[in-house]
Amino acid sequence: MKSRKYSLFVLLLCIILVLSMTGCWNQRELNTLAIVMGLGIDKTQESNQLLVTAQVANPKELQSSPARSNAQAFWNIQNTGNTLFSILRDFTHISNRKLYFPHIQVLILGRDYAKEGIQEELDFFIRDHETRLNIWLVVSEGNARDVLDIEPVIDRIPAINISKLLDEQDPNSQTSTNQLNDFLTALIDRTTAPTAPLVEIVGKGDKKSLQVKGTAVFKDDKLVGELNKYETRGLLWVKDEVKSGIIDVECPEGDGKVSIELIDSKTKVSAEIRDNRVVMRVYIREKGALAAQYCAESLRTKEKVEALERNTAAAIQDEVLTAFRKAQELNADIFGFGEVVRKEHLKEWKDMKERWDEVFSEIIVEVTVDASIERSGRAHYPPVPDKE
């Protein structure tokens, strides 16, 4: 009996040792891979083909000090073709290393390409096992390839610079910083219009740099327009995505401005069917702080604070309504109002879902803002002499 148990123990031990000694069947050495940090897609004007730019990290230059080397820490390689997958595979004719996508930071779409439709190329990112969906999706004002050529001052790889730039947009809440998975979720939805951050190149010559311009608006998979920063924050108010920011409002006596810092907000959206029309009710609860004062009057009294709160509420309401008017102009439900109606009025939704574009152009939006100023910082009075 003991001999049988000992034999089983030895057999089990051997099996465990054999399994622990197995390697990865599909392992690849790092020096055989070209690590892609960013990808840009454009349309060629001559042949109407796709022009794909892959930004590959140059590990050798990343290890050296920028002061000691004039070489770039990245390599932009380009190829053209009719389908994205075949173009990426054909990069083997240009690079002696296979493109490797798990570390990609950003996917940039040229404006002209985005206007014609992007669904077919996004299909590759959904299916391929190496690509990630939690990357930034960006639309460039011009060509995507030009954006990937802009060398940043601090970071050495443009794709990483763009990724960090988008990471730091929360303090302003003026950019709809959607990642690829967010965009795809909206694209699959039958009524919600996808959005993406919009970037542009500013400056000339060696002084060129990138800046976030606003938000690109899509209808289905085609670019149809854009929101400026003011309109974008109106969108973010409705989507409950305002993290922070500054709103400049009039002083109570109208002799200057006050900057209100947004420190907290909460939005609730509901739908109502009123006289056979859809009415969207948007309620916003905002808390702010008096960040800077550009008028001489004292703002310590209850009446002055309440006046500032009313001015702040009016400014927020105007941002929301301005964004809504722009969305109706583009006939694009960027707010996801259709999904709210579906959840709250399923019976009526079954009748209007096939004609939501028509319904959206006629809906009414009612905005209620409850704004409060919670603090005024270290100073209680403006740095001006007292009035006689």
Side-chain angles (χ1 to χ4, degrees):
M1 186 68 178
K2 290 183 178 180
S3 177
R4 179 178 296 180
K5 288 184 178 180
Y6 179 77
S7 299
L8 290 174
F9 173 76
V10 172
L11 178 61
L12 181 62
L13 182 61
C14 290
I15 293 174
I16 293 174
L17 290 174
V18 169
L19 291 176
S20 65
M21 295 174 63
T22 59
C24 298
W25 66 271
N26 63 342
Q27 69 174 355
R28 285 170 287 181
E29 297 298 330
L30 187 60
N31 59 6
T32 66
L33 301 175
I35 300 176
V36 179
M37 306 302 296
L39 202 68
I41 306 178
D42 293 303
K43 268 291 181 70
T44 61
Q45 295 181 350
E46 299 80 10
S47 58
N48 202 36
Q49 288 184 314
L50 294 177
L51 171 63
V52 177
T53 304
Q55 185 161 95
V56 176
N58 185 350
K60 181 179 178 181
E61 292 303 323
L62 286 173
Q63 295 173 0
S64 62
S65 171
R68 297 179 181 179
S69 174
N70 294 324
Q72 291 181 326
F74 63 93
W75 177 35
N76 286 345
I77 52 178
Q78 295 180 346
N79 197 11
T80 59
N82 294 316
T83 64
L84 180 60
F85 191 41
S86 64
I87 294 172
L88 297 177
R89 185 59 61 88
D90 285 346
F91 270 123
T92 56
H93 300 309
I94 305 172
S95 171
N96 62 359
R97 297 189 180 189
K98 184 182 182 298
L99 298 190
Y100 188 63
F101 290 94
H103 296 284
I104 188 172
Q105 301 288 309
V106 61
L107 171 62
I108 306 173
L109 312 177
R111 173 181 279 273
D112 291 340
Y113 158 69
K115 286 181 178 179
E116 296 186 16
I118 63 176
Q119 183 273 329
E120 292 181 356
E121 284 65 51
L122 293 186
D123 184 85
F124 164 77
F125 287 89
I126 299 174
R127 298 177 187 274
D128 192 84
H129 68 282
E130 283 190 359
T131 58
R132 297 185 297 121
L133 297 182
N134 60 337
I135 64 173
W136 295 113
L137 177 69
V138 181
V139 176
S140 63
E141 183 63 43
N143 293 318
R145 62 180 181 272
D146 297 332
V147 171
L148 288 172
D149 280 334
I150 302 298
E151 293 191 54
V153 176
I154 299 177
D155 294 290
R156 301 188 64 186
I157 298 180
I160 294 180
N161 175 63
I162 297 170
S163 178
K164 290 182 177 180
L165 182 65
L166 294 172
D167 280 332
E168 296 301 321
Q169 294 306 303
D170 284 353
N172 287 316
S173 295
Q174 293 180 330
T175 304
S176 181
T177 51
N178 291 336
Q179 294 185 322
L180 179 56
N181 51 358
D182 302 316
F183 188 93
L184 291 170
T185 299
L187 186 63
I188 293 171
D189 190 280
R190 299 189 63 179
T191 60
T192 304
T195 59
L198 183 65
V199 299
E200 66 176 347
I201 299 173
V202 294
K204 296 181 179 180
D206 58 356
K207 300 295 184 180
K208 288 182 179 180
S209 63
L210 286 179
Q211 74 172 16
V212 180
K213 182 182 180 183
T215 300
V217 178
F218 287 75
K219 186 63 181 280
D220 297 324
D221 69 329
K222 294 181 175 63
L223 177 67
V224 294
E226 64 185 70
L227 306 179
N228 60 31
K229 295 178 181 180
Y230 181 80
E231 295 163 340
T232 296
R233 190 158 61 191
L235 165 66
L236 298 182
W237 282 118
V238 178
K239 297 177 69 176
D240 196 23
E241 294 179 2
V242 170
K243 301 295 190 299
S244 184
I246 299 293
I247 292 182
D248 293 329
V249 300
E250 291 287 341
C251 291
E253 295 181 4
D255 59 343
K257 296 279 188 179
V258 170
S259 292
I260 304 297
E261 181 182 8
L262 310 173
I263 57 177
D264 187 40
S265 70
K266 183 66 178 178
T267 301
K268 293 182 180 180
V269 180
S270 59
E272 178 184 343
I273 308 298
R274 187 188 305 166
D275 297 328
N276 294 322
R277 294 189 68 180
V278 175
V279 179
M280 303 303 303
R281 295 193 299 267
V282 180
Y283 174 77
I284 301 171
R285 176 75 174 90
E286 181 272 337
K287 296 179 181 180
L290 201 162
Q293 178 178 341
Y294 309 104
C295 55
E297 61 185 290
S298 172
L299 302 176
R300 289 197 66 191
T301 66
K302 179 181 178 181
E303 292 75 13
K304 295 295 181 66
V305 172
E306 290 177 346
L308 285 178
E309 290 174 342
R310 288 193 296 271
N311 290 348
T312 303
I316 294 173
Q317 183 183 56
D318 186 64
E319 288 183 349
V320 173
L321 293 177
T322 301
F324 174 66
R325 287 191 291 268
K326 186 60 173 288
Q328 281 195 317
E329 177 186 322
L330 299 174
N331 197 21
D333 181 10
I334 54 179
F335 308 99
F337 285 158
E339 186 64 14
V340 177
V341 175
R342 184 190 68 81
K343 291 179 179 179
E344 299 184 2
H345 303 277
L346 183 58
K347 182 179 178 180
E348 291 83 354
W349 173 251
K350 291 178 180 179
D351 176 61
M352 65 178 68
K353 64 180 180 180
E354 298 298 336
R355 53 185 184 89
W356 179 245
D357 285 349
E358 177 186 343
V359 175
F360 180 75
S361 65
E362 298 178 353
I363 66 174
I364 300 171
V365 171
E366 297 177 349
V367 183
T368 302
V369 182
D370 181 7
S372 63
I373 296 177
E374 303 292 312
R375 54 180 182 262
S376 60
R378 294 181 297 178
H380 297 293
Y381 298 95
V384 295
D386 291 336
K387 293 182 179 180
E388 296 294 338

